[in-house]
Amino acid sequence: MITNAHRSIHSRLRRRGLAGLTVAGLALAACGGGSDSSSDDTGDVADTADTTADTEPTTDTDSPVDGEPVDTAAPAVDETSGGTYEPGAAEFRAVNALDRPVDIYVRTTGLVEAFPIQAGLEPGEVSEFVAPPEGGSFVVTEAGAGDPTCVSTCDHFVTNLSASFPEHGLTYTAILHEDAFSERTSAFDLWEAPDPGLGSANAMPAPDPSAALGVITAIAVTDADFGLRLAINGVEGCVEPVGGGNVLIGGNQTPAFALESASSFTLHDQPDRECSDAPVGGPFEFAGSPGSRNHIILTGSPGALDAIVLPMVGDVAAAPPSADAGDRDAAVGFVTAEFGTEFGLVGEQATCAAELLVDAVGADVLLVDGELVDLDLLGDDVAEQAGGALVQSVDVCGIDPSVYGG
């Protein structure tokens, strides 16, 4: 989770070398990432503890979706009334897995005032991230239904989500779907940076520095009551999700799979335990890097499945290093030493953070003639990748953000 403590890192460090790169990188990462949020309307989800512990809000802006940034820090305008609101810390986006368009609003709490965000989000489309007013909510209605300020008997609402539980984080991806049990539209909200250890299918796993994770959500799939299995092209048999347990794909389960950086996968019916029969979905293309996480959102039914591959916010989009393994090891060694000199990090934490940074930036960028380059001379693109790795290391490596000056 990216917090205010993470973002304050760049304002306190003024040393050169790795710290100087971190200053620039974290400043850029704070402008480009998202933060996690939770909701009061979770649809088909596992129960989690109701806690009201305070949490420090974030001020993240410019969360990218399909390459188009949305500035959630600037006041938004209500096109109907001309009013404005101050965005809060939590951010939401919608994936429309319905067969019809929807309208998106944010609204205040208390004396309810609503602000239109997007009209006519079409089936299969993903909205930009938007931050409702602090304490307010993210509202999706049937297209053209109007009245987003409704407070009771709101049959035209698809969902009304708010960040009610700090442990869920501050970034939500909500899948809009038909609920087979209630026979009504609903939203299955996925928490991209929850507190570790939450026993809920909504809680996304932490990044794995050694693997590209694909988290499959099949809440919108029909006619697959007994679940599906996954196979990766070139790998014999079915692939088990991370952590094992033979969890099937389907319902409100969200199994995570360690996928190759560039691969294709197919889906198979539950009785096909070896994934040797003809697939019922795919092949679907996947591209990721170690340390990255992607939603894989399935729609349709077996024999006619579609997949939306959607990167999670704030992860390091790490390109596989072009240098050989020996160069990577050398780069990790140099950067580990830099973490000790600049931040006093030693042992597993320093190595973990160094591996994240080297895999994000690339050993071929960091090493010239076998020596670590002058980090002050690296450009903004590299600084942003490094900053993203440093932000990620707080959660992945268990580093206190104050180490970086936060």
Side-chain angles (χ1 to χ4, degrees):
M1 181 187 307
I2 303 173
T3 66
N4 279 344
H6 300 143
R7 292 189 184 85
S8 68
I9 294 169
H10 71 273
S11 67
R12 298 189 185 185
L13 292 175
R14 291 296 179 268
R15 292 173 291 180
R16 295 178 63 81
L18 179 60
L21 183 64
T22 304
V23 170
L26 284 163
L28 290 166
C31 293
S35 57
D36 292 5
S37 68
S38 96
S39 79
D40 58 359
D41 179 6
T42 56
D44 302 319
V45 300
D47 290 335
T48 59
D50 183 354
T51 173
T52 57
D54 291 337
T55 187
E56 187 176 26
T58 72
T59 56
D60 218 8
T61 62
D62 296 336
S63 298
V65 176
D66 297 333
E68 294 295 329
V70 52
D71 186 353
T72 58
V77 176
D78 180 341
E79 296 174 356
T80 301
S81 66
T84 62
Y85 74 91
E86 187 67 26
E91 294 182 323
F92 298 78
R93 65 180 166 185
V95 178
N96 189 1
L98 299 169
D99 61 0
R100 57 195 182 277
V102 296
D103 295 340
I104 297 175
Y105 301 84
V106 296
R107 69 183 205 174
T108 60
T109 188
L111 181 61
V112 177
E113 183 178 7
F115 304 85
I117 299 299
Q118 183 173 353
L121 181 71
E122 295 292 335
E125 290 186 345
V126 181
S127 75
E128 295 182 335
F129 274 97
V130 62
E134 196 67 43
S137 61
F138 176 79
V139 175
V140 181
T141 71
E142 299 287 350
D147 191 16
T149 60
C150 176
V151 293
S152 65
T153 318
C154 307
D155 293 337
H156 60 298
F157 276 22
V158 176
T159 191
N160 180 15
L161 300 173
S162 61
S164 302
F165 303 106
E167 68 271 22
H168 296 172
L170 294 171
T171 301
Y172 294 90
T173 293
I175 303 172
L176 314 177
H177 66 101
E178 299 285 356
D179 190 324
F181 296 100
S182 67
E183 298 184 348
R184 294 185 58 184
T185 55
S186 185
F188 187 58
D189 54 313
L190 305 175
W191 315 328
E192 294 191 7
D195 288 353
L198 288 182
S200 170
N202 306 73
M204 297 295 96
D208 182 345
S210 66
L213 296 183
V215 181
I216 301 186
T217 304
I219 193 74
V221 170
T222 58
D223 302 324
D225 295 340
F226 298 103
L228 303 170
R229 302 181 188 276
L230 180 138
I232 298 175
N233 183 37
V235 178
E236 185 177 355
C238 301
V239 177
E240 287 194 0
V242 174
N246 198 30
V247 177
L248 292 170
I249 298 165
N252 64 353
Q253 299 300 306
T254 54
F257 293 86
L259 301 175
E260 299 294 330
S261 293
S263 60
S264 64
F265 63 92
T266 52
L267 297 164
H268 298 257
D269 201 5
Q270 180 271 337
D272 184 8
R273 293 180 176 273
E274 301 300 323
C275 290
S276 57
D277 296 338
V280 297
F284 300 113
E285 298 301 316
F286 176 86
S289 301
S292 68
R293 300 174 300 164
N294 284 268
H295 297 293
I296 300 174
I297 299 166
L298 301 180
T299 61
S301 57
L305 291 172
D306 288 317
I308 300 171
V309 179
L310 185 63
M312 297 190 200
V313 170
D315 289 355
V316 174
S322 59
D324 62 29
D327 288 341
R328 179 186 182 276
D329 291 344
V332 168
F334 280 122
V335 176
T336 299
E338 287 285 314
F339 274 106
T341 301
E342 299 285 0
F343 304 120
L345 285 175
V346 295
E348 292 182 0
Q349 285 189 328
T351 302
C352 174
E355 288 176 341
L356 286 175
L357 192 148
V358 170
D359 289 340
V361 173
D364 56 325
V365 174
L366 293 170
L367 295 183
V368 174
D369 296 330
E371 298 292 335
L372 192 65
V373 301
D374 183 347
L375 300 178
D376 296 315
L377 300 180
L378 298 177
D380 284 352
D381 289 345
V382 174
E384 184 170 6
Q385 292 171 332
L390 269 291
V391 169
Q392 189 181 13
S393 72
V394 171
D395 290 328
V396 174
C397 308
I399 294 172
D400 186 336
S402 65
V403 167
Y404 299 135

